[in-house]
Amino acid sequence: MSEPVLYIVATPIGNLADLSDRARDVLASVDHVAAEDTRHSGRLLSHFNIKVPMISVHDHNERQRAEHVINLLRAGESVALVSDAGTPLISDPGYHLVRAVREAGFKVSPVPGCCAFVAALSASGLPSDRFQFIGFLPAKSGARQQALEALAGNTETLVFYESTHRIVDSLKAMTAAFGAERYAVVARELTKTFETLHGDSLDNLVTWIQADTNQQRGEFVVLVQGAEKVLDDESIDPEAERILRILARELPPKKAAGVAAEITGYKKNRLYPLLID
Ligand code: SAM
C-alpha cells in the first residue's frame, strides 16, 4: 500500500482549463477531498467527472477536522485539500490542518497551480523582485487606514486582495495613506471573461473605477508600487515628509523625527529641522 498523503491542491481562479493534469489525477486518485465549501468544489469535481467523498474543512471547524483527517491518514487513506479557488492557505483555510498533519508525522505534498496574487503580480509590470503580500485589509475603516499608514514607507510592491463591496473604499483609503500620485494596478477577474488590468496613479484609479460600476464588480487584486527610497541628503521625498508630519501630530518633534528616520531611512537630524521650520 502506498504511503498516505495530504495533498494541497491548487484549483482554478476562474478559467477551469487552468486545472493542471496532475491536480486532476491527484483529485481523482485520493480517498477524500477536503474542501472549504463542498458544494462549490463538488461542482468543480463533477465538471471533471471526478467522484470522491468530500469532507468540509473551513475556518470554523478546521481544528476539529484535523483530527478526523489524521485518522483517515492513519487508516492509510490519502486526502486532497482544496479551497474555493486558487491555492489553499493563501487567504484561505488550511494552515491548522497542514500543521497538525505534519506534526502527526504524515507527508504533506503540494500540487501547485493558480494563485490570484501571483498571476496579478506577474502581469502587473510592477517590481516583482521584492513584494509584500498583505491579503485582505481589515473591514473596519479605522483599522484599515491604520494598517495602510503602517505600510506607507515600505519600498516593496504591496499586494492586496479586495472584494467588490470594498474596492472603492479601499482605493480611497490607499490614496489617503500612500498619496494621490502613488502608482498602482487593479487586477480584476483574472482568467475570466472580464479580465482587466489597469494601472494609474491612485487618485486616477479612484476616478476611473467610480466612473464605471462594471469595473467595481468581481474579484480584485490591488498592487501598489512601493514608496520611493530617496536618500539624497539635499531633498526629502514627499512621502517621507508626509510620514514625518503624521507622526508629528502625535509625538513631540524629536521623537517624531526619530521614528520617521527609522521608517524612511533619512537621518534624524535631516528630518528634525523640517518640523522646527
Ligand atoms: N486562495 C486564493 C488564491 O490562491 O489566490 C485566494 C482566496 S481569497 C478568499 C479570494 C480573493 O482572491 C478574492 O477576494 C480576490 O481578492 C482574489 N481573487 C481570487 N480570484 C481572483 C481572480 N480571478 N481575479 C482577481 N482576484 C482574484
Side-chain angles (χ1 to χ4, degrees):
M1 200 166 72
S2 56
E3 180 190 8
V5 177
L6 171 65
Y7 293 99
I8 310 302
V9 181
T11 57
I13 55 167
N15 188 329
L16 293 184
D18 288 337
L19 188 76
S20 72
D21 288 349
R22 183 167 164 244
R24 215 166 146 168
D25 290 348
V26 166
L27 290 172
S29 68
V30 290
D31 302 289
H32 304 268
V33 170
E36 193 185 357
D37 177 340
T38 50
R39 276 173 60 186
H40 180 96
S41 299
R43 284 195 289 275
L44 177 81
L45 296 186
S46 12
H47 177 87
F48 290 102
N49 216 7
I50 296 171
K51 291 185 186 71
V52 177
M54 299 189 79
I55 316 163
S56 107
V57 175
H58 48 71
D59 272 337
H60 305 292
N61 70 3
E62 200 185 326
R63 287 167 199 261
Q64 300 98 290
R65 282 305 160 101
E67 208 40 58
H68 179 55
V69 170
I70 290 168
N71 284 334
L72 293 171
L73 294 163
R74 280 199 187 109
E77 301 190 343
S78 284
V79 178
L81 174 70
V82 296
S83 60
D84 286 355
T87 302
L89 280 84
I90 306 300
S91 295
D92 266 338
Y95 163 71
H96 296 291
L97 175 65
V98 168
R99 194 171 173 111
V101 167
R102 286 179 58 82
E103 278 174 3
F106 291 100
K107 184 172 169 183
V108 179
S109 179
V111 181
C114 294
C115 177
F117 88 78
V118 175
L121 185 62
S122 71
S124 68
L126 284 167
S128 54
D129 51 341
R130 289 170 65 86
F131 61 89
Q132 195 173 346
F133 174 65
I134 313 295
F136 290 104
L137 285 163
K140 294 204 170 138
S141 62
R144 177 174 57 207
Q145 202 60 44
Q146 226 177 355
L148 290 169
E149 301 281 355
L151 294 167
N154 276 31
T155 52
E156 300 145 4
T157 300
L158 299 169
V159 186
F160 302 90
Y161 277 169
E162 203 39 275
S163 69
T164 187
H165 310 292
R166 286 200 273 266
I167 185 67
V168 174
D169 286 346
S170 281
L171 287 173
K172 285 183 181 168
M174 286 174 192
T175 308
F178 303 148
E181 293 305 312
R182 184 86 74 95
Y183 183 80
V185 174
V186 171
R188 180 175 84 95
E189 293 289 87
L190 296 172
T191 78
K192 304 186 207 177
T193 312
F194 296 108
E195 177 179 279
T196 312
L197 278 123
H198 185 75
D200 209 330
S201 62
L202 278 166
D203 64 342
N204 283 346
L205 281 177
V206 170
T207 310
W208 167 76
I209 207 161
Q210 281 185 314
D212 183 355
T213 50
N214 284 327
Q215 295 298 348
Q216 298 169 24
R217 301 211 172 100
E219 301 189 280
F220 299 84
V221 183
V222 180
L223 308 102
V224 182
Q225 177 130 28
E228 264 180 50
K229 205 167 196 154
V230 183
L231 293 175
D232 169 9
D233 258 7
E234 294 310 305
S235 64
I236 296 281
D237 165 28
E239 186 58 24
E241 198 167 335
R242 206 178 65 80
I243 292 168
L244 177 67
R245 297 208 183 280
I246 291 170
L247 290 168
R249 274 188 238 139
E250 308 291 334
L251 300 171
K254 269 200 183 133
K255 183 87 188 146
V259 178
E262 266 181 54
I263 298 172
T264 62
Y266 285 100
K267 292 207 170 70
K268 182 178 168 184
N269 60 11
R270 178 72 186 87
L271 297 174
Y272 180 64
L274 295 181
L275 294 177
I276 302 314
D277 291 348

